[in-house]
Every structure is written in structure tokens, then in C-alpha cells.
Amino acid sequence: MQHRLYSAQLDGLRFFAFLLVFIHHHPSCKGVPVVGVLHNYGWVGVDLFFALSAFLFTYLLNAEMAKTGTLDLKKFYIRRVLRVCPLYYLFIVFSMLVYLLWYGAPWTGTFLLRSLGLFSFTDNILSGFMGYNLLPFAPHLWTISYEVQFYIIIPAAILIFSRMPVRRILLVLAGIFAALFTFRLLLIRADVAHPAIWVLPATHFESMVLGMVIGYGGFNILLKAARPICWFILGIVLTSGIFLLPNVDTISPLLMATYALAGIGPALILFAVLNGRGLRQVLAWAPFVYLGKRSYGLYVYHFLGIHLTDVLTGYAGGLPSGKAATFVYALAITTGISALSYRFIEAPFLRRKMKFELVASRPV
């Protein structure tokens, strides 16, 4: 049996990334002291997801390179298809059916275009120019398109980087970082409307690039300066710094700082969680790991869970319907749907995905 390159605490971290996004999208969190701030800025959970993905792909593909001397791109993309597509495509079809049959909406050119964008993993590009997708329960799925576009880039980058020393790799990544930073500044100066900068990889890149840097060991020097818990605290402080800056829907020169902190803060949190013993123990707690393993479903289904809560409280008049209650209902419903999805939709494909692993990673 292969030794698995698996860190359970990363599943725990995934759950908290989802929880930030859930708070951001749940309407009952608006205006609530403290939680209201997370409602406004909880989108930073997306950056934590991006940093995690970039780190894991970089780390695991480099492990494959070290083991086999090359990358099997065919098996890599089969693994990605088996992980991403079954749940994703079923949910898109469900959303389309709700739109057409339940809402009674007509077939229009816009409906077909936005559906095609979801199916072809270009929804983030369309969202950048047309606004978020209006299909039911689907405005957040641009992030799936965004990640899939990085699946195309990261293996090619690792193959190129395999011929370079680590120092040169980090210099190249720094150069890419600087070039994209400049490009975003130019778009801000041109007053490009939201959400273009937020949804396009060329302008929302820090968390992905820094996740790759962590995967190459570029943050390891920090361990000589301070303990992981110190970097975790600094990551929390820097991430919280976005609360004092323009939100992503406000086009301003200060938005450069918002994106910088939203990339650096989660990257430091990830780095600390990978290296801090106490942090590992907390985040590897079984309930966190259980929920983190189902975070893909939690993320995809959470708008549906929020909607079903509205339906439930509308029909069940005796239920408590305060802000805290509706939040708990929506989280419980989303968790229940995700647990069923993981058991009956995702897990069979994940077991098949394991047959294409050259480096064993997370167990089903």
C-alpha cells in the first residue's frame, strides 16, 4: 500500500474556508455585530480555498515528478474530471430545470449562453463582463471555472519549473506576481466595473501564486524567524486588515491593498496550519475533517440550502425564524444535502479516481 500524502488538518481548514463564504452569502448575517463584518468580507474564504488548491496541486505534482521523473497529464486530468464534474454537472442540470420548469422562465439567448459558460468552465469570464450567473443557486459557481483554468496552467508550469532550481522558480513566480499586479492596477485606473477584477485569474491571483510558492517551500525560511503560531496570528491580522479597506465591489486604488492582504493573509494561515503542531491537532478534529471532506458539496449546495430554509420557515409557521435560527437551519440543510451527495454521488467517483493516482493523497 502506498503511503498517503494527506494532512487531515487541511480538511479542517477547508471547512472554515467554506464557513466564511457561507456567512458572506447568508442574508441573516447582515448587520449583526461582528458577524456582519464577516458577512461583508467573508468572500476571503474563496482565497483560502484557492491557496489550498494551489498548494496541494503543486506539492502533489512535484511529489509525482520526484517519484516518476515526469507528470502523467492524462491521469491528472482524469482525476480532476472524476473529482469536479459529476456533482458539478448534475447541479447545473438541476439549476437549469428549476429555472425552466419551476420558475417558468423562457429559453433565451442569455440563458443558453450562461448555461454554456457553466458547462465549458468559462462562467467566470462571462461573469466578468455580464455579471454573476442568474441561474438558480449558481452565482458562486464562477469559482469552479476559475479553478479549472488553473488546472490547465499548473501542470504545465510544474513541468517547466522541473528544469529549474528552486531559487529561480521563486524568482519567476515573483516576476509573474509583479506583472499581474501591474495589470490589475491598470484595470483599476481604467475603472473597470466589478466583478471583472474579482473573477478573472489574471487580476485575482495572489492566493493561487502564493499557494504555489508554499508548495515549493518558498515560505519555509519563515520558520527560522518565528514559530508557526506567530505566522498564524499574523495571517489572521493581515486577513482582518481587509475590513478597513475597500470591498471588492468598490473600484479604488486601495483595492490593490485589499487583494494583497486577501492573498498574503490566507497564505500565512495555510503555511502555519501545515507546520504548527497545535494548529494541526485542532483542525484535525474529526468533525472538522468530516465537514472539510464534504466542503466541495457544502460550497456548491449552500445557496440551495439557504433557499430551502426560506421555504421551510415560510411553510412551517411554528418554527423559530430569527436570524440565528435561520442560519442554523440553512447550515444543517446544506450539510445534510452535502453528506448525501458525498455518499451517493461523489464517493463512487472518488474511489474510481484513486485508481489513477500515482501519488496517494486524501482517502475517500
PDB file of all heavy atoms in Angstrom, residues 57-76 79 155-156 158-160 162-163 356-359:
ATOM      1  N   PHE A  57      -1.939  21.063  -5.362  1.00  0.00           N
ATOM      2  CA  PHE A  57      -1.561  20.635  -6.707  1.00  0.00           C
ATOM      3  C   PHE A  57      -0.054  20.743  -6.899  1.00  0.00           C
ATOM      4  O   PHE A  57       0.575  19.854  -7.487  1.00  0.00           O
ATOM      5  CB  PHE A  57      -2.299  21.451  -7.759  1.00  0.00           C
ATOM      6  CG  PHE A  57      -3.742  21.078  -7.896  1.00  0.00           C
ATOM      7  CD1 PHE A  57      -4.734  22.043  -7.838  1.00  0.00           C
ATOM      8  CD2 PHE A  57      -4.125  19.764  -8.062  1.00  0.00           C
ATOM      9  CE1 PHE A  57      -6.064  21.700  -7.948  1.00  0.00           C
ATOM     10  CE2 PHE A  57      -5.449  19.406  -8.165  1.00  0.00           C
ATOM     11  CZ  PHE A  57      -6.426  20.381  -8.111  1.00  0.00           C
ATOM     12  N   THR A  58       0.538  21.822  -6.433  1.00  0.00           N
ATOM     13  CA  THR A  58       1.985  21.995  -6.580  1.00  0.00           C
ATOM     14  C   THR A  58       2.737  20.916  -5.816  1.00  0.00           C
ATOM     15  O   THR A  58       3.658  20.284  -6.338  1.00  0.00           O
ATOM     16  CB  THR A  58       2.403  23.394  -6.076  1.00  0.00           C
ATOM     17  OG1 THR A  58       1.683  24.387  -6.805  1.00  0.00           O
ATOM     18  CG2 THR A  58       3.891  23.619  -6.272  1.00  0.00           C
ATOM     19  N   TYR A  59       2.333  20.699  -4.580  1.00  0.00           N
ATOM     20  CA  TYR A  59       3.026  19.732  -3.720  1.00  0.00           C
ATOM     21  C   TYR A  59       2.884  18.306  -4.266  1.00  0.00           C
ATOM     22  O   TYR A  59       3.875  17.561  -4.375  1.00  0.00           O
ATOM     23  CB  TYR A  59       2.458  19.824  -2.308  1.00  0.00           C
ATOM     24  CG  TYR A  59       3.129  18.930  -1.304  1.00  0.00           C
ATOM     25  CD1 TYR A  59       4.414  19.204  -0.849  1.00  0.00           C
ATOM     26  CD2 TYR A  59       2.477  17.803  -0.802  1.00  0.00           C
ATOM     27  CE1 TYR A  59       5.029  18.379   0.083  1.00  0.00           C
ATOM     28  CE2 TYR A  59       3.084  16.975   0.122  1.00  0.00           C
ATOM     29  CZ  TYR A  59       4.358  17.265   0.561  1.00  0.00           C
ATOM     30  OH  TYR A  59       4.963  16.438   1.477  1.00  0.00           O
ATOM     31  N   LEU A  60       1.657  17.925  -4.623  1.00  0.00           N
ATOM     32  CA  LEU A  60       1.426  16.554  -5.074  1.00  0.00           C
ATOM     33  C   LEU A  60       2.024  16.291  -6.456  1.00  0.00           C
ATOM     34  O   LEU A  60       2.570  15.207  -6.707  1.00  0.00           O
ATOM     35  CB  LEU A  60      -0.074  16.253  -5.078  1.00  0.00           C
ATOM     36  CG  LEU A  60      -0.733  16.187  -3.693  1.00  0.00           C
ATOM     37  CD1 LEU A  60      -2.245  16.066  -3.823  1.00  0.00           C
ATOM     38  CD2 LEU A  60      -0.178  15.025  -2.875  1.00  0.00           C
ATOM     39  N   LEU A  61       1.946  17.268  -7.354  1.00  0.00           N
ATOM     40  CA  LEU A  61       2.538  17.067  -8.679  1.00  0.00           C
ATOM     41  C   LEU A  61       4.055  17.044  -8.606  1.00  0.00           C
ATOM     42  O   LEU A  61       4.706  16.293  -9.348  1.00  0.00           O
ATOM     43  CB  LEU A  61       2.047  18.144  -9.643  1.00  0.00           C
ATOM     44  CG  LEU A  61       0.570  18.036 -10.054  1.00  0.00           C
ATOM     45  CD1 LEU A  61       0.168  19.207 -10.927  1.00  0.00           C
ATOM     46  CD2 LEU A  61       0.298  16.717 -10.775  1.00  0.00           C
ATOM     47  N   ASN A  62       4.635  17.815  -7.710  1.00  0.00           N
ATOM     48  CA  ASN A  62       6.082  17.722  -7.514  1.00  0.00           C
ATOM     49  C   ASN A  62       6.479  16.378  -6.909  1.00  0.00           C
ATOM     50  O   ASN A  62       7.534  15.828  -7.246  1.00  0.00           O
ATOM     51  CB  ASN A  62       6.574  18.868  -6.632  1.00  0.00           C
ATOM     52  CG  ASN A  62       6.879  20.120  -7.430  1.00  0.00           C
ATOM     53  OD1 ASN A  62       7.572  20.068  -8.431  1.00  0.00           O
ATOM     54  ND2 ASN A  62       6.351  21.256  -7.006  1.00  0.00           N
ATOM     55  N   ALA A  63       5.621  15.851  -6.025  1.00  0.00           N
ATOM     56  CA  ALA A  63       5.882  14.516  -5.481  1.00  0.00           C
ATOM     57  C   ALA A  63       5.816  13.471  -6.589  1.00  0.00           C
ATOM     58  O   ALA A  63       6.616  12.517  -6.615  1.00  0.00           O
ATOM     59  CB  ALA A  63       4.869  14.199  -4.379  1.00  0.00           C
ATOM     60  N   GLU A  64       4.873  13.634  -7.516  1.00  0.00           N
ATOM     61  CA  GLU A  64       4.787  12.726  -8.661  1.00  0.00           C
ATOM     62  C   GLU A  64       6.042  12.834  -9.529  1.00  0.00           C
ATOM     63  O   GLU A  64       6.569  11.817 -10.001  1.00  0.00           O
ATOM     64  CB  GLU A  64       3.544  13.039  -9.482  1.00  0.00           C
ATOM     65  CG  GLU A  64       3.342  12.117 -10.673  1.00  0.00           C
ATOM     66  CD  GLU A  64       2.077  12.434 -11.459  1.00  0.00           C
ATOM     67  OE1 GLU A  64       1.095  12.874 -10.863  1.00  0.00           O
ATOM     68  OE2 GLU A  64       2.101  12.213 -12.699  1.00  0.00           O
ATOM     69  N   MET A  65       6.500  14.081  -9.751  1.00  0.00           N
ATOM     70  CA  MET A  65       7.735  14.270 -10.525  1.00  0.00           C
ATOM     71  C   MET A  65       8.908  13.576  -9.853  1.00  0.00           C
ATOM     72  O   MET A  65       9.729  12.925 -10.513  1.00  0.00           O
ATOM     73  CB  MET A  65       8.034  15.766 -10.675  1.00  0.00           C
ATOM     74  CG  MET A  65       7.183  16.493 -11.687  1.00  0.00           C
ATOM     75  SD  MET A  65       7.636  16.107 -13.395  1.00  0.00           S
ATOM     76  CE  MET A  65       9.292  16.779 -13.464  1.00  0.00           C
ATOM     77  N   ALA A  66       8.998  13.718  -8.536  1.00  0.00           N
ATOM     78  CA  ALA A  66      10.109  13.107  -7.801  1.00  0.00           C
ATOM     79  C   ALA A  66      10.034  11.582  -7.862  1.00  0.00           C
ATOM     80  O   ALA A  66      11.068  10.898  -7.922  1.00  0.00           O
ATOM     81  CB  ALA A  66      10.084  13.578  -6.351  1.00  0.00           C
ATOM     82  N   LYS A  67       8.823  11.049  -7.884  1.00  0.00           N
ATOM     83  CA  LYS A  67       8.647   9.592  -7.874  1.00  0.00           C
ATOM     84  C   LYS A  67       8.841   8.972  -9.240  1.00  0.00           C
ATOM     85  O   LYS A  67       9.463   7.901  -9.365  1.00  0.00           O
ATOM     86  CB  LYS A  67       7.248   9.264  -7.331  1.00  0.00           C
ATOM     87  CG  LYS A  67       6.950   7.782  -7.262  1.00  0.00           C
ATOM     88  CD  LYS A  67       5.565   7.538  -6.680  1.00  0.00           C
ATOM     89  CE  LYS A  67       5.243   6.051  -6.634  1.00  0.00           C
ATOM     90  NZ  LYS A  67       3.894   5.790  -6.063  1.00  0.00           N
ATOM     91  N   THR A  68       8.311   9.627 -10.294  1.00  0.00           N
ATOM     92  CA  THR A  68       8.287   9.004 -11.612  1.00  0.00           C
ATOM     93  C   THR A  68       9.187   9.685 -12.631  1.00  0.00           C
ATOM     94  O   THR A  68       9.424   9.139 -13.708  1.00  0.00           O
ATOM     95  CB  THR A  68       6.852   9.008 -12.179  1.00  0.00           C
ATOM     96  OG1 THR A  68       6.449  10.368 -12.440  1.00  0.00           O
ATOM     97  CG2 THR A  68       5.878   8.386 -11.181  1.00  0.00           C
ATOM     98  N   GLY A  69       9.653  10.899 -12.318  1.00  0.00           N
ATOM     99  CA  GLY A  69      10.501  11.637 -13.257  1.00  0.00           C
ATOM    100  C   GLY A  69       9.730  12.435 -14.285  1.00  0.00           C
ATOM    101  O   GLY A  69      10.322  13.125 -15.109  1.00  0.00           O
ATOM    102  N   THR A  70       8.392  12.364 -14.233  1.00  0.00           N
ATOM    103  CA  THR A  70       7.574  13.121 -15.192  1.00  0.00           C
ATOM    104  C   THR A  70       6.174  13.284 -14.616  1.00  0.00           C
ATOM    105  O   THR A  70       5.891  12.837 -13.494  1.00  0.00           O
ATOM    106  CB  THR A  70       7.506  12.408 -16.551  1.00  0.00           C
ATOM    107  OG1 THR A  70       6.856  13.263 -17.499  1.00  0.00           O
ATOM    108  CG2 THR A  70       6.768  11.087 -16.451  1.00  0.00           C
ATOM    109  N   LEU A  71       5.303  13.926 -15.377  1.00  0.00           N
ATOM    110  CA  LEU A  71       3.902  14.044 -14.997  1.00  0.00           C
ATOM    111  C   LEU A  71       3.046  13.311 -16.023  1.00  0.00           C
ATOM    112  O   LEU A  71       3.229  13.503 -17.223  1.00  0.00           O
ATOM    113  CB  LEU A  71       3.463  15.513 -14.948  1.00  0.00           C
ATOM    114  CG  LEU A  71       4.093  16.412 -13.886  1.00  0.00           C
ATOM    115  CD1 LEU A  71       3.498  17.812 -13.976  1.00  0.00           C
ATOM    116  CD2 LEU A  71       3.891  15.845 -12.491  1.00  0.00           C
ATOM    117  N   ASP A  72       2.136  12.515 -15.529  1.00  0.00           N
ATOM    118  CA  ASP A  72       1.175  11.857 -16.411  1.00  0.00           C
ATOM    119  C   ASP A  72      -0.039  12.778 -16.509  1.00  0.00           C
ATOM    120  O   ASP A  72      -0.950  12.732 -15.670  1.00  0.00           O
ATOM    121  CB  ASP A  72       0.780  10.497 -15.833  1.00  0.00           C
ATOM    122  CG  ASP A  72      -0.020   9.663 -16.826  1.00  0.00           C
ATOM    123  OD1 ASP A  72      -0.845  10.263 -17.566  1.00  0.00           O
ATOM    124  OD2 ASP A  72       0.158   8.436 -16.862  1.00  0.00           O
ATOM    125  N   LEU A  73      -0.037  13.647 -17.538  1.00  0.00           N
ATOM    126  CA  LEU A  73      -1.094  14.651 -17.661  1.00  0.00           C
ATOM    127  C   LEU A  73      -2.458  14.018 -17.897  1.00  0.00           C
ATOM    128  O   LEU A  73      -3.484  14.524 -17.426  1.00  0.00           O
ATOM    129  CB  LEU A  73      -0.763  15.636 -18.778  1.00  0.00           C
ATOM    130  CG  LEU A  73       0.488  16.501 -18.549  1.00  0.00           C
ATOM    131  CD1 LEU A  73       0.696  17.442 -19.719  1.00  0.00           C
ATOM    132  CD2 LEU A  73       0.385  17.275 -17.248  1.00  0.00           C
ATOM    133  N   LYS A  74      -2.481  12.915 -18.644  1.00  0.00           N
ATOM    134  CA  LYS A  74      -3.751  12.237 -18.896  1.00  0.00           C
ATOM    135  C   LYS A  74      -4.395  11.802 -17.586  1.00  0.00           C
ATOM    136  O   LYS A  74      -5.590  12.060 -17.348  1.00  0.00           O
ATOM    137  CB  LYS A  74      -3.529  11.030 -19.809  1.00  0.00           C
ATOM    138  CG  LYS A  74      -4.808  10.266 -20.123  1.00  0.00           C
ATOM    139  CD  LYS A  74      -4.523   9.076 -21.035  1.00  0.00           C
ATOM    140  CE  LYS A  74      -5.793   8.271 -21.290  1.00  0.00           C
ATOM    141  NZ  LYS A  74      -5.536   7.105 -22.167  1.00  0.00           N
ATOM    142  N   LYS A  75      -3.614  11.182 -16.723  1.00  0.00           N
ATOM    143  CA  LYS A  75      -4.165  10.728 -15.442  1.00  0.00           C
ATOM    144  C   LYS A  75      -4.523  11.912 -14.554  1.00  0.00           C
ATOM    145  O   LYS A  75      -5.510  11.856 -13.803  1.00  0.00           O
ATOM    146  CB  LYS A  75      -3.176   9.796 -14.736  1.00  0.00           C
ATOM    147  CG  LYS A  75      -3.080   8.430 -15.389  1.00  0.00           C
ATOM    148  CD  LYS A  75      -2.206   7.486 -14.596  1.00  0.00           C
ATOM    149  CE  LYS A  75      -2.190   6.097 -15.242  1.00  0.00           C
ATOM    150  NZ  LYS A  75      -1.332   5.152 -14.495  1.00  0.00           N
ATOM    151  N   PHE A  76      -3.735  12.983 -14.630  1.00  0.00           N
ATOM    152  CA  PHE A  76      -4.055  14.179 -13.845  1.00  0.00           C
ATOM    153  C   PHE A  76      -5.425  14.706 -14.221  1.00  0.00           C
ATOM    154  O   PHE A  76      -6.259  14.991 -13.344  1.00  0.00           O
ATOM    155  CB  PHE A  76      -3.006  15.273 -14.068  1.00  0.00           C
ATOM    156  CG  PHE A  76      -3.391  16.614 -13.479  1.00  0.00           C
ATOM    157  CD1 PHE A  76      -3.255  16.842 -12.122  1.00  0.00           C
ATOM    158  CD2 PHE A  76      -3.902  17.627 -14.285  1.00  0.00           C
ATOM    159  CE1 PHE A  76      -3.634  18.067 -11.574  1.00  0.00           C
ATOM    160  CE2 PHE A  76      -4.268  18.844 -13.746  1.00  0.00           C
ATOM    161  CZ  PHE A  76      -4.134  19.065 -12.380  1.00  0.00           C
ATOM    162  N   ARG A  79      -8.262  12.478 -13.123  1.00  0.00           N
ATOM    163  CA  ARG A  79      -8.537  12.669 -11.695  1.00  0.00           C
ATOM    164  C   ARG A  79      -9.376  13.925 -11.464  1.00  0.00           C
ATOM    165  O   ARG A  79     -10.310  13.935 -10.666  1.00  0.00           O
ATOM    166  CB  ARG A  79      -7.224  12.766 -10.899  1.00  0.00           C
ATOM    167  CG  ARG A  79      -6.415  11.490 -10.864  1.00  0.00           C
ATOM    168  CD  ARG A  79      -5.355  11.526  -9.787  1.00  0.00           C
ATOM    169  NE  ARG A  79      -4.381  12.599  -9.952  1.00  0.00           N
ATOM    170  CZ  ARG A  79      -3.243  12.511 -10.632  1.00  0.00           C
ATOM    171  NH1 ARG A  79      -2.943  11.368 -11.257  1.00  0.00           N
ATOM    172  NH2 ARG A  79      -2.395  13.519 -10.699  1.00  0.00           N
ATOM    173  N   PRO A 155      -0.040  22.218 -14.139  1.00  0.00           N
ATOM    174  CA  PRO A 155       0.832  21.110 -14.580  1.00  0.00           C
ATOM    175  C   PRO A 155       1.898  21.560 -15.577  1.00  0.00           C
ATOM    176  O   PRO A 155       3.052  21.120 -15.496  1.00  0.00           O
ATOM    177  CB  PRO A 155      -0.150  20.120 -15.224  1.00  0.00           C
ATOM    178  CG  PRO A 155      -1.465  20.441 -14.628  1.00  0.00           C
ATOM    179  CD  PRO A 155      -1.458  21.919 -14.404  1.00  0.00           C
ATOM    180  N   ALA A 156       1.514  22.427 -16.517  1.00  0.00           N
ATOM    181  CA  ALA A 156       2.493  22.924 -17.490  1.00  0.00           C
ATOM    182  C   ALA A 156       3.590  23.706 -16.784  1.00  0.00           C
ATOM    183  O   ALA A 156       4.781  23.567 -17.104  1.00  0.00           O
ATOM    184  CB  ALA A 156       1.795  23.802 -18.531  1.00  0.00           C
ATOM    185  N   ILE A 158       4.617  23.345 -13.703  1.00  0.00           N
ATOM    186  CA  ILE A 158       5.475  22.444 -12.930  1.00  0.00           C
ATOM    187  C   ILE A 158       6.434  21.687 -13.847  1.00  0.00           C
ATOM    188  O   ILE A 158       7.601  21.460 -13.493  1.00  0.00           O
ATOM    189  CB  ILE A 158       4.600  21.496 -12.090  1.00  0.00           C
ATOM    190  CG1 ILE A 158       3.972  22.305 -10.940  1.00  0.00           C
ATOM    191  CG2 ILE A 158       5.411  20.324 -11.547  1.00  0.00           C
ATOM    192  CD1 ILE A 158       2.986  21.545 -10.114  1.00  0.00           C
ATOM    193  N   LEU A 159       5.970  21.315 -15.036  1.00  0.00           N
ATOM    194  CA  LEU A 159       6.882  20.670 -15.989  1.00  0.00           C
ATOM    195  C   LEU A 159       8.026  21.613 -16.378  1.00  0.00           C
ATOM    196  O   LEU A 159       9.188  21.207 -16.461  1.00  0.00           O
ATOM    197  CB  LEU A 159       6.108  20.236 -17.233  1.00  0.00           C
ATOM    198  CG  LEU A 159       5.318  18.929 -17.130  1.00  0.00           C
ATOM    199  CD1 LEU A 159       4.446  18.748 -18.363  1.00  0.00           C
ATOM    200  CD2 LEU A 159       6.263  17.743 -16.958  1.00  0.00           C
ATOM    201  N   ILE A 160       7.695  22.873 -16.618  1.00  0.00           N
ATOM    202  CA  ILE A 160       8.730  23.859 -16.959  1.00  0.00           C
ATOM    203  C   ILE A 160       9.657  24.090 -15.772  1.00  0.00           C
ATOM    204  O   ILE A 160      10.887  24.112 -15.907  1.00  0.00           O
ATOM    205  CB  ILE A 160       8.075  25.176 -17.411  1.00  0.00           C
ATOM    206  CG1 ILE A 160       7.322  24.963 -18.728  1.00  0.00           C
ATOM    207  CG2 ILE A 160       9.122  26.281 -17.577  1.00  0.00           C
ATOM    208  CD1 ILE A 160       6.427  26.130 -19.109  1.00  0.00           C
ATOM    209  N   SER A 162      10.396  22.138 -13.447  1.00  0.00           N
ATOM    210  CA  SER A 162      11.183  20.965 -13.054  1.00  0.00           C
ATOM    211  C   SER A 162      12.622  21.039 -13.569  1.00  0.00           C
ATOM    212  O   SER A 162      13.501  20.336 -13.062  1.00  0.00           O
ATOM    213  CB  SER A 162      10.519  19.685 -13.570  1.00  0.00           C
ATOM    214  OG  SER A 162      10.549  19.634 -14.996  1.00  0.00           O
ATOM    215  N   ARG A 163      12.851  21.893 -14.551  1.00  0.00           N
ATOM    216  CA  ARG A 163      14.195  22.048 -15.110  1.00  0.00           C
ATOM    217  C   ARG A 163      14.954  23.193 -14.443  1.00  0.00           C
ATOM    218  O   ARG A 163      16.056  23.538 -14.867  1.00  0.00           O
ATOM    219  CB  ARG A 163      14.107  22.299 -16.617  1.00  0.00           C
ATOM    220  CG  ARG A 163      13.351  21.206 -17.372  1.00  0.00           C
ATOM    221  CD  ARG A 163      13.250  21.519 -18.863  1.00  0.00           C
ATOM    222  NE  ARG A 163      12.506  20.488 -19.581  1.00  0.00           N
ATOM    223  CZ  ARG A 163      11.213  20.541 -19.814  1.00  0.00           C
ATOM    224  NH1 ARG A 163      10.522  21.570 -19.394  1.00  0.00           N
ATOM    225  NH2 ARG A 163      10.603  19.573 -20.475  1.00  0.00           N
ATOM    226  N   PHE A 356      -6.322   6.168 -10.559  1.00  0.00           N
ATOM    227  CA  PHE A 356      -5.468   6.949 -11.451  1.00  0.00           C
ATOM    228  C   PHE A 356      -4.416   7.764 -10.678  1.00  0.00           C
ATOM    229  O   PHE A 356      -3.732   8.590 -11.261  1.00  0.00           O
ATOM    230  CB  PHE A 356      -6.325   7.877 -12.316  1.00  0.00           C
ATOM    231  CG  PHE A 356      -7.264   7.142 -13.227  1.00  0.00           C
ATOM    232  CD1 PHE A 356      -8.563   6.855 -12.820  1.00  0.00           C
ATOM    233  CD2 PHE A 356      -6.845   6.705 -14.475  1.00  0.00           C
ATOM    234  CE1 PHE A 356      -9.429   6.166 -13.647  1.00  0.00           C
ATOM    235  CE2 PHE A 356      -7.709   6.016 -15.312  1.00  0.00           C
ATOM    236  CZ  PHE A 356      -9.000   5.744 -14.900  1.00  0.00           C
ATOM    237  N   GLU A 357      -4.315   7.511  -9.364  1.00  0.00           N
ATOM    238  CA  GLU A 357      -3.336   8.230  -8.554  1.00  0.00           C
ATOM    239  C   GLU A 357      -1.959   7.607  -8.709  1.00  0.00           C
ATOM    240  O   GLU A 357      -1.807   6.389  -8.585  1.00  0.00           O
ATOM    241  CB  GLU A 357      -3.731   8.203  -7.076  1.00  0.00           C
ATOM    242  CG  GLU A 357      -4.939   9.045  -6.730  1.00  0.00           C
ATOM    243  CD  GLU A 357      -5.275   8.981  -5.248  1.00  0.00           C
ATOM    244  OE1 GLU A 357      -4.757   8.063  -4.554  1.00  0.00           O
ATOM    245  OE2 GLU A 357      -6.059   9.817  -4.778  1.00  0.00           O
ATOM    246  N   LEU A 358      -0.968   8.413  -8.978  1.00  0.00           N
ATOM    247  CA  LEU A 358       0.421   7.964  -8.957  1.00  0.00           C
ATOM    248  C   LEU A 358       1.056   8.284  -7.610  1.00  0.00           C
ATOM    249  O   LEU A 358       2.038   7.647  -7.217  1.00  0.00           O
ATOM    250  CB  LEU A 358       1.198   8.643 -10.092  1.00  0.00           C
ATOM    251  CG  LEU A 358       0.694   8.270 -11.490  1.00  0.00           C
ATOM    252  CD1 LEU A 358       1.412   9.084 -12.560  1.00  0.00           C
ATOM    253  CD2 LEU A 358       0.881   6.774 -11.754  1.00  0.00           C
ATOM    254  N   VAL A 359       0.520   9.282  -6.934  1.00  0.00           N
ATOM    255  CA  VAL A 359       0.900   9.602  -5.557  1.00  0.00           C
ATOM    256  C   VAL A 359      -0.389   9.595  -4.744  1.00  0.00           C
ATOM    257  O   VAL A 359      -1.297  10.391  -5.021  1.00  0.00           O
ATOM    258  CB  VAL A 359       1.593  10.979  -5.451  1.00  0.00           C
ATOM    259  CG1 VAL A 359       1.825  11.349  -4.008  1.00  0.00           C
ATOM    260  CG2 VAL A 359       2.892  10.975  -6.228  1.00  0.00           C
TER     261      VAL A 359
END
